[in-house]
């Protein structure tokens, strides 16, 4: 279910922010490290939930850009290296 995966993505995003010192604030403030989305997924508005949903929905396309199990950027990098 994509909504469940979106909630997991939000938890991952939020954990990375909290570990970096971010905390909840009603308005984003990069200097003070406040962000309005540092709260549980269930408390987000529809626009904030859409960001997480879009991240999860993009995964199949990202995985499709692989070659021989390597991310496409790695394949291009190694092919450009002199032998």
């Amino acid at each position: 279910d994509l909504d469940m995966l979106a909630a997991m993505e939000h938890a991952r995003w939020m954990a990375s922010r909290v570990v970096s010192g971010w905390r909840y604030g009603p308005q984003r403030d990069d200097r003070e490290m406040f962000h309005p989305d540092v709260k549980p997924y269930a408390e987000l508005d529809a626009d904030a939930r859409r960001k997480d949903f879009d991240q999860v929905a993009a995964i199949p396309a990202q995985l499709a850009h692989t070659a021989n199990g390597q991310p496409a950027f790695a394949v291009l990098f190694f092919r450009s290296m002199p032998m």
Side-chain angles (χ1 to χ4, degrees), residues 8-56:
M8 293 171 67
E9 166 57 19
H10 181 72
R12 183 210 59 79
W13 173 87
M14 192 170 69
S16 72
R17 295 302 182 268
V18 169
V19 166
S20 298
W22 286 81
R23 56 204 181 278
Y24 172 78
Q27 292 187 339
R28 183 173 178 158
D29 183 329
D30 291 347
R31 192 170 78 75
E32 296 295 324
M33 300 177 82
F34 289 121
H35 198 293
D37 293 344
V38 177
K39 59 185 174 183
Y41 184 76
E43 297 177 17
L44 296 175
D45 62 25
D47 289 336
R49 285 183 183 209
R50 172 58 59 187
K51 294 175 202 172
D52 296 311
F53 187 89
D54 289 347
Q55 287 294 318
V56 170

